Amino acid sequence: MARVEYLNPPYQDLDQQSHSAELGMWVFLATEVLFFGVLFTCYAMLRMRWPAAFRHGSEDLNLWMGGINTAVLLTSSTFMALAVRAARAGDSRWIITHLAITAALGMVFLGLKATEYSIEYREHLIPGLNFANLSPEDQGKPASQQNARPEQERLFMIFYFVMTGFHAVHMLVGIGVIVVLIILTGRGAYGSGYHSPVEIAGLYWHFVDIVWVFLYPALYLLRQS
């Protein structure tokens, strides 16, 4: 059943309002593509300039933790899609269930990323805070056995923290939106007649997941190239 109270001027009906909102989200996502595109372009240029240093930086990242996070996000996208399907069917219980699982998986992702950041802090890999040309393990070895990090690895780590940091901020925003949707769904706001906000949130969540799908190979799998 359509909810007339959600119809705002100058729209004539909820379908028109939903299509306009969806178009607005696509325009917003296009600007996000430009934002991340600049970061990826700069990263690629520096990677071609100092391939050995960037490869060394990739080797200092936790490959398996990044892989687990990739699986977590892809799974979260599945549940977000299920939430959208439930919204179209007007099943509020399953909307809430699937959205809650999506948000929970998002929190798991952020928890693993925070753990990864703490590991990198202990490894002295954070530029501007504690980056060191020697790892803690190498610092206790004789000079002849030390493997110094390339100076340009600092650039790699800067891009790593900037790109993954912005991605984490987008994740936090997405989780916040999902929590609001869960509350409103519990109040009966969304159903088969009106579910545009759930679909729009789904578009945003899938975009954030797609960004990570590009970040993971660019940052973590560089060691294989």
Side-chain angles (χ1 to χ4, degrees):
M1 181 180 298
R3 302 296 298 273
V4 177
E5 61 266 30
Y6 284 95
L7 182 62
N8 297 307
Y11 306 108
Q12 298 178 354
D13 53 50
L14 284 177
D15 286 338
Q16 185 185 53
Q17 180 174 296
S18 297
H19 291 157
S20 297
E22 184 175 346
L23 176 60
M25 174 53 71
W26 279 114
V27 172
F28 170 75
L29 294 181
T31 64
E32 291 290 283
V33 169
L34 293 175
F35 173 76
F36 280 103
V38 171
L39 292 177
F40 275 105
T41 300
C42 294
Y43 171 82
M45 292 174 61
L46 292 174
R47 170 186 170 178
M48 290 186 291
R49 178 65 177 84
W50 293 292
F54 273 50
R55 185 177 299 111
H56 195 283
S58 180
E59 291 171 351
D60 281 337
L61 300 182
N62 193 310
L63 177 66
W64 295 108
M65 192 169 290
I68 292 172
N69 257 348
T70 302
V72 168
L73 273 193
L74 291 177
T75 304
S76 75
S77 269
T78 300
F79 281 100
M80 176 56 82
L82 291 173
V84 172
R85 187 179 71 172
R88 291 172 178 171
D91 193 334
S92 298
R93 182 173 66 89
W94 281 110
I95 296 174
I96 294 173
T97 299
H98 291 140
L99 287 178
I101 295 175
T102 301
L105 290 172
M107 293 302 297
V108 170
F109 175 92
L110 292 177
L112 287 173
K113 177 52 64 179
T115 301
E116 195 174 354
Y117 282 169
S118 68
I119 293 173
E120 288 148 3
Y121 174 81
R122 292 196 298 270
E123 293 294 322
H124 296 172
L125 287 169
I126 304 181
L129 184 60
N130 70 344
F131 186 88
N133 291 330
L134 292 174
S135 67
E137 294 180 357
D138 282 331
Q139 288 175 2
K141 296 179 180 179
S144 60
Q145 299 178 11
Q146 292 176 348
N147 295 314
R149 293 167 176 157
E151 178 61 30
Q152 292 78 20
E153 182 176 344
R154 190 187 304 266
L155 279 174
F156 172 86
M157 296 309 301
I158 289 174
F159 272 90
Y160 164 77
F161 282 108
V162 169
M163 296 170 83
T164 59
F166 275 115
H167 178 265
V169 170
H170 283 72
M171 287 288 298
L172 283 172
V173 172
I175 292 171
V177 170
I178 289 174
V179 170
V180 172
L181 290 177
I182 290 174
I183 294 172
L184 292 178
T185 302
R187 296 176 179 175
Y190 308 127
S192 58
Y194 179 73
H195 50 264
S196 177
V198 180
E199 291 193 339
I200 292 173
L203 287 176
Y204 177 84
W205 192 264
H206 294 319
F207 168 79
V208 174
D209 289 359
I210 289 173
V211 170
W212 180 259
V213 168
F214 282 93
L215 283 175
Y216 178 63
L219 297 171
Y220 292 82
L221 302 183
L222 178 63
R223 67 191 75 187
Q224 305 297 336
S225 61

